[in-house]
Amino acid sequence: MIRSLLAAAALALLAGSALAQPTFATPQDAIKYRQATLKEMQQNFKRVADMAGGRAEFDAKTAEASAARAAELIKLPWAAFGPGTEGGKASPAIWKEQDKFKAAAAKAEAEVGKLAVAAKTGSLDAIKAAIGPAGASCKACHDAFRE
């Protein structure tokens, strides 16, 4: 029963509002949280990217739902990069260059948000136009701040 409650709490945290500021008992909890949210974000993004790139059949409803979920999730992990949470695949540059990191995170949020707006139209062409800049913003952040 305790395991079920913990699992439900973890899922609620992942599905929670971007306005919620999670707290972490340990630095490892913060690392796990940010890795889990970014992984789920990447999975949703990839689903849309595969459709845009012709690697998967286009389904407008799936693209819309996946892009919307990616746009929700990309807002969540940044709270887990606080002082003392160094580690995982995160580069030490995150803590040394906070302004640059925050700017890269904001750019990625904005571009993935634009992808969600494009997907809401149901137009594959709109998705194709938005997927490149969204992917480039994620890659730029990874290149600068991921080991």
Side-chain angles (χ1 to χ4, degrees), residues 28-40:
Q28 193 60 34
D29 289 343
I31 292 168
K32 286 179 184 177
Y33 171 82
R34 68 186 184 226
Q35 288 176 339
T37 56
L38 288 167
K39 181 177 181 178
E40 185 183 346

Side-chain angles (χ1 to χ4, degrees), residues 31-131:
I31 292 168
K32 286 179 184 177
Y33 171 82
R34 68 186 184 226
Q35 288 176 339
T37 56
L38 288 167
K39 181 177 181 178
E40 185 183 346
M41 194 283 302
Q42 186 274 335
Q43 290 168 337
N44 281 277
F45 184 88
K46 183 181 183 312
R47 193 172 297 122
V48 180
D50 285 350
M51 288 183 215
R55 293 177 299 279
E57 187 173 332
F58 179 64
D59 178 308
K61 289 191 184 306
T62 299
E64 180 181 355
S66 295
R69 184 65 179 146
E72 291 170 4
L73 288 163
I74 199 164
K75 296 175 185 177
L76 301 178
W78 316 125
F81 286 96
T85 63
E86 294 85 348
K89 296 178 182 177
S91 168
I94 291 170
W95 292 270
K96 292 176 185 168
E97 301 175 38
Q98 277 286 298
D99 289 342
K100 236 174 121 176
F101 176 66
K102 288 177 182 177
K107 174 80 171 163
E109 275 187 46
E111 293 299 334
V112 174
K114 290 175 188 177
L115 175 63
V117 170
K120 196 169 186 165
T121 69
S123 165
L124 181 57
D125 288 337
I127 292 169
K128 285 179 179 181
I131 200 81

